[in-house]
Amino acid sequence: MRNLALFDLDHTLLPLDSDYEWGQFLARIGAVDPVEFAKRNTEFFTQYQAGTLDPVEYLEFALGTLAQFPRSQLDEWHRQFMAEVIEPAIFPAARALLQRHRDSGDLLAIITATNQFVTEPIARALEVDNLIAAMPEKAPDGSFTGRLLGKPTSGEGKVAHTKSWLASMGKSLSDFDKSHFYSDSHNDIPLLTVVTHPIATNPNARLKAHAIAQGWPLLQLFDDY
């Protein structure tokens, strides 16, 4: 049976935080108040780095922002965001890592705390078919309501969502001889702990210390880490 390869997105496959950068992009193009929005966005990002972020509070902020605009406008802005911010940040090392697992016949998925609207085009650009992300509720016309569907895909939520995704295919983690998970953040220790092959990738200080203590391998994909 194929092995499983799971990947966090922000600061793991990308050398940036796509959620934070999307907010900064909206402020930069004048879609939102550049001072107040950037201030809130930075506060949430700082909380995430410190491990104190309330994921529901943040998602209500992020999804509430999406709900302010027509879907067609959001899609147009996202294409600009991909061209200006994301595509230049997709480095060969990340593509090569993904390709190694493809060549091995592994089942690949990106699992991220960031919402599906922001991350789905990024997953396509990385040629990863399976994406587990925070799900925004949609109105019948495809616009966003500002509410979250289900539970956040962060912390313990990543474990629950991974198991649910596998169960939808009639599988579980134990069905794979090897299950890999690549992440940069201590926030992902719950999922790193339940796979057979946790890899601390571009790890922050807290995850690096935990990984060394546990004997987990360290991987540095980007030169600026």
Side-chain angles (χ1 to χ4, degrees):
M1 180 175 288
R2 293 184 299 176
N3 294 320
L4 178 66
L6 303 171
F7 303 85
D8 179 47
L9 179 63
D10 300 321
H11 294 293
T12 300
L13 292 175
L14 297 177
L16 49 75
D17 185 293
S18 60
D19 218 358
Y20 174 77
E21 293 296 337
W22 168 250
Q24 297 300 96
F25 170 79
L26 290 179
R28 189 163 61 251
I29 65 173
V32 295
D33 182 278
V35 175
E36 184 57 31
F37 185 91
K39 178 173 179 277
R40 290 291 309 282
N41 200 36
T42 299
E43 287 172 354
F44 282 122
F45 184 56
T46 301
Q47 291 169 16
Y48 172 78
Q49 291 179 311
T52 61
L53 179 69
D54 180 331
V56 174
E57 182 184 7
Y58 174 70
L59 285 165
E60 288 176 349
F61 165 73
L63 299 180
T65 302
L66 296 181
Q68 297 175 31
F69 306 102
R71 181 61 188 267
S72 58
Q73 179 65 80
L74 289 170
D75 290 339
E76 180 180 338
W77 282 338
H78 202 295
R79 286 189 288 271
Q80 181 182 351
F81 174 66
M82 288 293 296
E84 294 180 3
V85 179
I86 298 299
E87 289 170 6
I90 298 178
F91 293 164
R95 290 196 181 278
L97 174 62
L98 292 166
Q99 192 59 48
R100 285 199 296 274
H101 282 282
R102 287 193 200 95
D103 291 344
S104 296
D106 296 345
L107 176 62
L108 275 64
I110 290 171
I111 178 161
T112 175
T114 302
N115 71 75
Q116 183 195 44
F117 170 75
V118 170
T119 57
E120 194 167 45
I122 302 173
R124 285 199 299 269
L126 290 166
E127 301 178 85
V128 178
D129 294 333
N130 301 298
L131 171 67
I132 304 168
M135 293 297 294
E137 183 183 68
K138 298 177 187 177
D141 65 357
S143 62
F144 297 109
T145 68
R147 292 186 291 271
L148 173 69
L149 282 178
K151 296 181 179 180
T153 46
S154 56
E156 292 285 354
K158 282 196 176 182
V159 178
H161 278 278
T162 296
K163 290 180 176 179
S164 178
W165 169 65
L166 290 172
S168 72
M169 298 182 287
K171 298 182 182 298
S172 67
L173 282 169
S174 62
D175 290 325
F176 299 91
D177 291 335
K178 296 179 181 178
S179 52
H180 305 81
F181 179 40
Y182 296 82
S183 176
D184 71 294
S185 175
H186 60 282
N187 293 298
D188 285 339
I189 286 174
L191 184 53
L192 286 162
T193 300
V194 300
V195 299
T196 65
H197 287 65
I199 304 98
T201 308
N202 318 315
N204 62 22
R206 288 177 63 181
L207 178 58
K208 184 175 183 179
H210 184 84
I212 291 171
Q214 296 296 317
W216 295 349
L218 305 178
L219 175 64
Q220 207 71 25
L221 280 184
F222 309 118
D223 291 339
D224 58 348
Y225 278 82

